[in-house]
Amino acid sequence: PETLDWHALVHYLVVPRTAERKCSMVELLADGAQPPRVVISHWWSEPILDMLACVEQLIKDHKHLGYDYRTPVWLGALSDSQHHDVVTV
């Protein structure tokens, strides 16, 4: 779906899949350390397909630096554990 955003993905996929280990999605899926080459901050209401298009463009624009589909790109929703208390100020 074109309108799937980070709120929905985290609620319906990330949190349930990582609940047992209380870890990030990266920790669940990776078979080793994943030091980031790029860290991207995102808006939680942004459609995921829009973010993926931006990441694809980033890789194309930095191909001369060796970026490709294997380049570790960290997104907060996937690289941070979503199993923590939310503090409001």
Side-chain angles (χ1 to χ4, degrees):
E2 295 89 33
T3 59
L4 179 67
D5 66 17
W6 293 101
H7 289 289
L9 183 80
V10 167
H11 179 77
Y12 292 109
L13 177 71
V14 174
V15 170
R17 291 298 306 248
T18 59
E20 184 177 325
R21 290 180 48 195
K22 297 201 181 309
C23 63
S24 71
M25 197 67 168
V26 170
E27 292 170 300
L28 184 68
L29 298 176
D31 60 1
Q34 296 289 311
R37 181 121 186 235
V38 179
V39 176
I40 298 176
S41 180
H42 57 86
W43 175 45
W44 282 85
S45 295
E46 177 179 29
I48 291 172
L49 291 180
D50 289 355
M51 171 59 77
L52 293 177
C54 290
V55 171
E56 287 176 346
Q57 190 62 51
L58 173 90
I59 290 169
K60 287 178 188 175
D61 291 348
H62 292 84
K63 196 171 211 154
H64 67 284
L65 297 174
Y67 285 35
D68 63 19
Y69 71 93
R70 295 167 299 196
T71 300
V73 176
W74 279 30
L75 302 169
L78 304 177
S79 61
D80 295 328
S81 172
Q82 300 302 316
H83 303 280
H84 48 76
D85 292 331
V86 176
V87 177
T88 57
V89 178

